[in-house]
Amino acid sequence: MEVNMPESWKNVLEKEFTQDYFKDLISFVDSEYDLGVCYPPKDQIFAAFSACDFTDVKVVIIGQDPYHGPKQANGLCFSVTDDVSHPPSLQNIFKELSQEYPEREPSSGDLSNWAKQGVFLLNATLTVRAHQAGSHQKKGWEQFTSAVIDALSTHRKELVFLLWGGFAKQKGKNIDAQKHAVFTSGHPSPLSANRGYWFGNQHFLKANAYLENVGKESIDW
């Protein structure tokens, strides 16, 4: 498997690529894709990196696993391809967005337009077997994506990190909150959202307010 990402990302992550855990991970992923159906498509595994250059990142959203149903995962967390119905978590993301920005009614579940504006949509685990949630966890992806978050926290400044749910909060526990804005809430999944831990978090408004305050262009959510 080719690690397909811009040079700006490769420059800050190069030491990861030479480590044994990463070599073992690539071997495992290659084997899994050879043996059966996995998601996202192999050429989209690193889509989050290709869609948003390291130097262009303004907002970071952390997911957990890719979607494991047909035609859903496209390499960006919470995002789906255009011709697929919106999963429940994405529906709740859009509901919250419409509360904060009533004039915006997203029709497409493909969040690549966010990525083009500097929203880095990172899953903690970048691959999964079809219909088997969590099947590629604890194979090395988590170590790699933690290194990605560390690189952003260390080498960039004045980023917005949106940590939704306990997993993302734990994943982002080492982010330097003196250099960056870190906003937390419950997860947009129905279980969390229906208990009152998601709706009303105002994260899209807060992210834009922070970006504007530090002289950066806001996101057209």
Side-chain angles (χ1 to χ4, degrees):
M1 178 180 70
E2 182 182 357
V3 179
N4 184 21
M5 63 176 67
E7 287 302 314
S8 63
W9 282 109
K10 289 184 176 180
N11 289 340
V12 296
L13 297 171
E14 57 184 353
K15 70 176 184 180
E16 301 304 313
F17 303 142
T18 62
Q19 293 192 41
D20 288 342
Y21 90 86
F22 192 82
K23 295 174 183 177
D24 291 343
L25 170 63
I26 295 302
S27 237
F28 167 77
V29 171
D30 279 336
S31 174
E32 286 286 285
Y33 276 75
D34 286 343
L35 291 172
V37 178
C38 295
Y39 300 117
K42 207 169 186 180
D43 63 353
Q44 294 180 344
I45 291 174
F46 296 101
F49 300 84
S50 300
C52 187
D53 197 275
F54 180 77
T55 57
D56 294 334
V57 175
K58 294 190 287 189
V59 178
V60 181
I61 299 177
I62 301 172
Q64 190 165 357
D65 260 15
Y67 298 120
H68 52 82
K71 299 183 179 179
Q72 289 182 310
N74 62 7
L76 310 177
C77 74
F78 295 108
S79 176
V80 293
T81 51
D82 256 335
D83 55 347
V84 175
S85 60
H86 302 170
S89 290
L90 184 58
Q91 291 179 32
N92 285 337
I93 289 171
F94 285 163
K95 285 178 185 177
E96 172 60 28
L97 177 59
S98 67
Q99 289 178 15
E100 298 180 33
Y101 291 98
E103 73 280 8
R104 299 181 192 177
E105 297 181 5
S107 56
S108 172
D110 184 351
L111 303 182
S112 58
N113 184 55
W114 291 6
K116 290 174 184 175
Q117 298 177 73
V119 182
F120 183 52
L121 298 159
L122 178 69
N123 273 317
T125 302
L126 299 188
T127 57
V128 67
R129 282 183 206 152
H131 311 298
Q132 296 185 46
S135 50
H136 288 185
Q137 291 178 2
K138 299 180 180 177
K139 301 296 183 180
W141 279 130
E142 293 90 345
Q143 184 172 343
F144 174 70
T145 53
S146 287
V148 172
I149 295 167
D150 288 346
L152 286 164
S153 178
T154 300
H155 299 296
R156 295 292 310 281
K157 65 178 182 177
E158 297 174 339
L159 302 182
V160 177
F161 289 85
L162 303 181
L163 308 182
W164 299 339
F167 181 87
K169 293 173 190 174
Q170 180 66 20
K171 187 78 173 170
K173 65 182 180 179
N174 294 324
I175 295 166
D176 186 347
Q178 301 301 311
K179 292 171 58 181
H180 307 287
V182 181
F183 300 117
T184 64
S185 79
H187 195 275
S189 67
L191 182 63
S192 172
N194 293 339
R195 289 178 176 175
Y197 302 134
W198 165 255
F199 292 115
N201 64 28
Q202 302 281 291
H203 277 192
F204 301 106
L205 284 167
K206 289 177 180 177
N208 276 348
Y210 177 83
L211 291 173
E212 290 169 3
N213 189 53
V214 297
K216 297 181 181 181
E217 189 173 351
S218 60
I219 305 298
D220 181 5
W221 301 105

